[in-house]
Amino acid sequence: MATIKDVAAKAGVSTATVSRVLNGERVKQETKERVLAAIEALGYRPNLVARSLKTQKTQIIGFVVPDFGSFFMRVAEAVEEILNSYGYSLIVCNSNEDLTREIEQVQMLVERQVDGLLVVPTSSSSKHLLEAQKKGIPVVLVDRLVKGMQVDSVLVDNVNGAYQAVEHLVTMGYRRIGVINGRLEVTTGEERYRGYLRVFEDYNLPIAEELIRTGDFSSQSGYILIKELMALPHPPQAVFIANCYMTMGAMLAISELGIRVPEDLAIVAFDDMELYRIATPPLTVVVQPMEEIGKTAARLIYKRVSGDNSDFPQMYRLKPELVVRGSSVPPGRLEASSEVTVNKVAL
Amino acid sequence: MATIKDVAAKAGVSTATVSRVLNGERVKQETKERVLAAIEALGYRPNLVARSLKTQKTQIIGFVVPDFGSFFMRVAEAVEEILNSYGYSLIVCNSNEDLTREIEQVQMLVERQVDGLLVVPTSSSSKHLLEAQKKGIPVVLVDRLVKGMQVDSVLVDNVNGAYQAVEHLVTMGYRRIGVINGRLEVTTGEERYRGYLRVFEDYNLPIAEELIRTGDFSSQSGYILIKELMALPHPPQAVFIANCYMTMGAMLAISELGIRVPEDLAIVAFDDMELYRIATPPLTVVVQPMEEIGKTAARLIYKRVSGDNSDFPQMYRLKPELVVRGSSVPPGRLEASSEVTVNKVAL
DNA sequence: ATGAAAGCGCTAACAA
DNA sequence: TTGTTAGCGCTTTCAT
């Protein structure tokens, strides 16, 4: 492959001049044209690896996500778009919700000299992230927090999101409200659970321990736990499910069991997915601003890699939104179920 | 950050020796231990950018996909897993189903000196891919083909997949069968349409032109086109929808219109999604082997970057599978609708 | 078994 | 405005 030397030779100039043309520095118009012609003729493309070694900047941001599911990929899509517009590339890595793998991926990204790191931590272990910071690599936590670490973060107000969801059920008159939690050692799981509890506190309602189940965010656990709940001698009348994968599993179980929603069981879920709208009935959900999470995280890491360390550590708490659809209606007037849908179709 | 020089100094050896330890070459046990101790003490990690510049290999594979939706991400997940096990990293880029962007992404990946390229082409334009090949970068096409180009590819047998889907409807007795096609200039779109047509040919059935609609793979086009079809004076009794996003849009329209499935309209869709199983009724689909596509593509590109050019150009045609669920039942016995589900739940 | 030294392709002082 | 040159951190002959 042609190098800058070949171009220099062909254009009859030094490599420095070619470099200047490449980087848009001042070069005499005529020289510039000769260089450009040589580049064109040779089909020359700069070697970004060499450039990175020299400049000590790769223009790459690493993004470690726990899975390639729709939630994080919608975030990643927004991140990539913003970052590309700034001239950065994104490497998205899958930690598989596994700390060991997360550590490996972070280490690999550090060795690849990424300029910055976006991480959705799988646990509260922070050693590998601290190390990255120590090496001067800015880190921004996305969606989840690692406690006791000074770090930028872009999060969602999970407590109040869950609160709204459960409060919605309570104000409609439900009392036996179950919950399918995610992993409590992950902040999103813990916070959503806290939101659930807080409603009972605020409304001075008793909590039925047997209606509280803790899964691991997987659809499998949603499937199992909803079955456990519904097999109870006195099953819940409503349930709050803490993330989209568990909701998926729960809905499958529900359709297998022939449980009618919302007649037998009202549902409010955290996270929205396109298909929830075409479920029968469409699901009431707490929608997270995925695109905004991505854009905010991208802008923040860009700010840091650009050397702006003001307001460190910066924390964004984006607000989720309750969207009431057919899966939750007042226990009194179930006939109206199909009319409760209030979401605007946004294809 | 510590470099190999620092390690060498600390261990009292040359950088060459440190490099040998790093790369597992023969070094006296005692020396090795001293080097390892120095590495540990300094928290040294090799700079992969420098290594890449020297070895002319980045151990990175680029993967350009048209979107970050569940289909391609499931493929990407499998690709990453295999590639990581070979010591390679993956950069997934979004072309947004847009040729200009695809060209930019390919160019960027080439400049970043990726060792190999996986591409889901957005069109039959091949110039940028030929250029990459010319520079010695192996290219493997995934899911879609570019005609008139000598290139490795991992594809699905779309013609027979679509054929099975439509034949299933025909053998059940349906005759007025509509189709919502994807982009015909993309091979998957064209091949699935061909499969549809071939059934009518083979069964010597007349084709109703007004039941053939061509969209662009987006859920929006599915939404619009199913409405067009159902607004016909003589609407179809069954419809074949050529990909998952259009199916999503179509199902939303169907639920809005209050059309009953399969009573008013039987549906067979290309692509499976987890949520199709919890739709009412669950959807009959042609399932693509996403994981196998990813693994096959990963293994093939690995073979090429490893210098094995045997059997070039190699083409895999993986077989999709028809899974009959509740959205398609013989028009005669609709009462049985909920019993036809034959898929095994695989959570 | 180990070290010296060249060089991968580029950028950035510094000189001219 | 342009050229000369050093050097980013690593690997890899070639010597020793």
Side-chain angles (χ1 to χ4, degrees), chain B residues 63-66 72 95 102 118-122 140-144:
Chain B
F63 188 12
V64 183
V65 296
F72 291 115
S95 69
E102 176 185 322
L118 261 20
V119 180
V120 181
T122 56
V140 172
L141 260 29
V142 180
D143 188 56
R144 303 175 181 176

Side-chain angles (χ1 to χ4, degrees), chain A residues 14 17 20 26-28 31 54 56:
Chain A
S14 74
T17 300
R20 289 189 186 104
R26 279 210 65 74
V27 171
K28 206 209 297 177
T31 321
K54 177 66 194 177
Q56 304 284 59

Side-chain angles (χ1 to χ4, degrees), chain B residues 174 237 259-266 281 326-327 329 331 334-335 337:
Chain B
Y174 288 99
Q237 308 158 307
I259 292 168
R260 294 166 308 159
V261 177
E263 292 84 347
D264 302 335
L265 181 72
S327 71
V329 290
L334 282 174
E335 335 63 58
S337 83

